[in-house]
């Protein structure tokens, strides 16, 4: 490991000591999320053996979903810096520190990083997270990334309006003032900011925000008025709202 990587890992570990896990422990939602990821990455009709890594597994629900599918084609690993798992079967788990992934280069067909990058630290740590995802991804593999949009109205971790809109130095004071916590420990991204980071780390990528919005409605709220309305609206009419969709979602491949 290089001196630069050691220094980065040390700094990220220092941040981790103050950061909360923020794991989503609603197992029903994890199953629906896994189904959406499976659909967006085109894995449903792919019947070859797949080695999959979930970075930041949280409750373990997504890793469990893939690892226990009846066709048995997924070999699943999962990592996290906190062990918040509610289900532990169907996959192998490794505790990690910082952003370094403990796997050889080109190990996985699929890598998932679902609402993780906003928790690893500031820009240097986020770039290293992406570099590690790319490093362990096979040349023919595909990765999935989701992150809260900085311009979402309600910040999802602390449920405060406009929290992530503020400059970084004002977020913790606002959090304290609203009696919601002592430290704002997330770094949500805006669309162009994230896309520049994906370019910098050598990914080929596709923005899936609109497709993911449609998939979420169809899977989670298929009979709702909003789902029926969105089914009727072509993408070009929804494009103006893409930048403010609450979650930024990308499909990535090695460049």
């Amino acid at each position: 490991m290089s001196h630069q990587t050691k220094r980065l890992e040390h700094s990220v570990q220092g941040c981790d000591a103050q950061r909360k896990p923020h794991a989503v422990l609603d197992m029903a939602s994890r199953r629906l999320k896994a189904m959406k990821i499976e659909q967006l990455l085109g894995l449903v009709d792919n019947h070859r053996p797949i080695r999959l890594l979930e970075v930041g597994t949280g409750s373990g629900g997504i890793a469990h979903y893939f690892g226990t599918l009846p066709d048995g084609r997924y070999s699943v690993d999962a990592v996290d810096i906190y062990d918040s798992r509610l289900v532990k079967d169907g996959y192998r788990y490794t505790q990690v520190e910082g952003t370094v992934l403990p796997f050889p280069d080109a190990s996985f067909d699929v890598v998932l990083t679902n609402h993780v990058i906003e928790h690893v630290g500031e820009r240097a740590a986020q770039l290293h997270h992406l570099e590690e995802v790319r490093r362990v991804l096979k040349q023919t593999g595909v990765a999935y990334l989701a992150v809260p949009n900085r311009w979402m109205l309600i910040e999802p971790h602390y449920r405060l309006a406009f929290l992530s809109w503020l400059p970084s130095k004002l977020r913790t004071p606002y959090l304290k003032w609203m009696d919601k916590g002592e430290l704002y420990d997330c770094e949500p991204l805006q669309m162009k900011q994230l896309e520049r980071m994906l370019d910098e780390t050598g990914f080929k990528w596709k923005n899936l925000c609109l497709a993911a919005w449609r998939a979420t409605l169809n899977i989670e709220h298929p009979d709702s008025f909003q789902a029926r309305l969105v089914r009727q609206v072509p993408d070009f009419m929804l494009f103006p709202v893409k930048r403010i969709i609450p979650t930024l979602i990308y499909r990535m491949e090695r460049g």
Side-chain angles (χ1 to χ4, degrees), residues 99-204:
T99 49
V100 174
L101 297 175
F103 304 102
D105 296 356
S107 294
F108 296 95
D109 301 291
V110 177
V111 179
L112 312 179
T113 168
N114 179 57
H115 290 264
V116 174
I117 193 171
E118 72 270 26
H119 299 296
V120 304
E122 297 183 357
R123 190 175 190 275
Q126 291 178 334
L127 281 170
H128 191 254
H129 171 70
L130 293 174
E131 288 166 355
E132 282 290 277
V133 169
R134 186 180 183 278
R135 180 183 66 79
V136 302
L137 187 66
K138 292 182 180 179
Q139 189 64 43
T140 56
V142 60
Y144 170 95
L145 182 146
V147 59
N149 188 342
R150 181 186 172 186
W151 304 120
M152 60 197 153
L153 178 61
I154 305 296
E155 202 281 345
H157 305 96
Y158 294 94
R159 306 302 300 170
L160 274 178
F162 306 115
L163 174 59
S164 57
W165 291 35
L166 296 172
S168 295
K169 65 182 180 180
L170 297 181
R171 295 172 189 170
T172 290
Y174 177 46
L175 197 69
K176 291 180 177 179
W177 182 55
M178 296 299 292
D179 198 26
K180 290 285 191 176
E182 293 299 314
L183 174 70
Y184 185 63
D185 55 354
C186 306
E187 295 290 339
L189 298 167
Q190 49 191 315
M191 183 177 293
K192 289 301 181 184
Q193 179 186 17
L194 175 56
E195 291 177 358
R196 285 194 296 269
M197 293 171 71
L198 294 175
D199 289 337
E200 189 172 340
T201 48
F203 279 110
K204 293 189 299 183

Side-chain angles (χ1 to χ4, degrees), residues 4-234:
Q4 182 180 7
T5 301
K6 286 181 179 178
R7 185 171 65 249
L8 174 58
E9 185 178 9
H10 176 75
S11 67
V12 174
Q13 288 173 16
C15 291
D16 291 341
Q18 303 178 53
R19 294 178 183 272
K20 297 179 181 180
H22 294 292
V24 177
L25 303 180
D26 175 1
M27 296 304 295
S29 75
R30 297 304 84 195
R31 177 177 176 82
L32 294 175
K33 177 74 72 173
M35 291 171 63
K36 180 176 77 173
I37 292 170
E38 188 178 26
Q39 178 178 322
L40 290 172
L41 294 186
L43 302 176
V44 177
D45 298 321
N46 187 338
H47 300 295
R48 62 183 176 83
I50 294 174
R51 190 172 181 206
L52 180 147
L53 171 66
E54 184 187 13
V55 182
T57 193
S59 68
I62 292 175
H64 170 80
Y65 170 86
F66 283 103
T68 57
L69 285 173
D71 58 15
R73 63 195 164 101
Y74 287 95
S75 173
V76 180
D77 284 272
V79 302
D80 211 317
I81 62 170
Y82 300 97
D83 191 350
S84 306
R85 291 176 297 155
L86 300 180
V87 288
K88 300 183 178 182
D89 56 314
Y91 62 94
R92 297 170 293 275
Y93 176 76
T94 305
Q95 196 94 5
V96 297
E97 294 182 346
T99 49
V100 174
L101 297 175
F103 304 102
D105 296 356
S107 294
F108 296 95
D109 301 291
V110 177
V111 179
L112 312 179
T113 168
N114 179 57
H115 290 264
V116 174
I117 193 171
E118 72 270 26
H119 299 296
V120 304
E122 297 183 357
R123 190 175 190 275
Q126 291 178 334
L127 281 170
H128 191 254
H129 171 70
L130 293 174
E131 288 166 355
E132 282 290 277
V133 169
R134 186 180 183 278
R135 180 183 66 79
V136 302
L137 187 66
K138 292 182 180 179
Q139 189 64 43
T140 56
V142 60
Y144 170 95
L145 182 146
V147 59
N149 188 342
R150 181 186 172 186
W151 304 120
M152 60 197 153
L153 178 61
I154 305 296
E155 202 281 345
H157 305 96
Y158 294 94
R159 306 302 300 170
L160 274 178
F162 306 115
L163 174 59
S164 57
W165 291 35
L166 296 172
S168 295
K169 65 182 180 180
L170 297 181
R171 295 172 189 170
T172 290
Y174 177 46
L175 197 69
K176 291 180 177 179
W177 182 55
M178 296 299 292
D179 198 26
K180 290 285 191 176
E182 293 299 314
L183 174 70
Y184 185 63
D185 55 354
C186 306
E187 295 290 339
L189 298 167
Q190 49 191 315
M191 183 177 293
K192 289 301 181 184
Q193 179 186 17
L194 175 56
E195 291 177 358
R196 285 194 296 269
M197 293 171 71
L198 294 175
D199 289 337
E200 189 172 340
T201 48
F203 279 110
K204 293 189 299 183
W205 51 266
K206 181 178 181 180
N207 185 312
L208 298 180
C209 293
L210 293 180
W213 189 22
R214 293 183 188 277
T216 298
L217 291 172
N218 287 333
I219 292 171
E220 298 182 11
H221 311 286
D223 298 321
S224 69
F225 171 77
Q226 186 180 14
R228 294 196 301 271
L229 178 63
V230 169
R231 286 189 202 112
Q232 304 303 316
V233 179

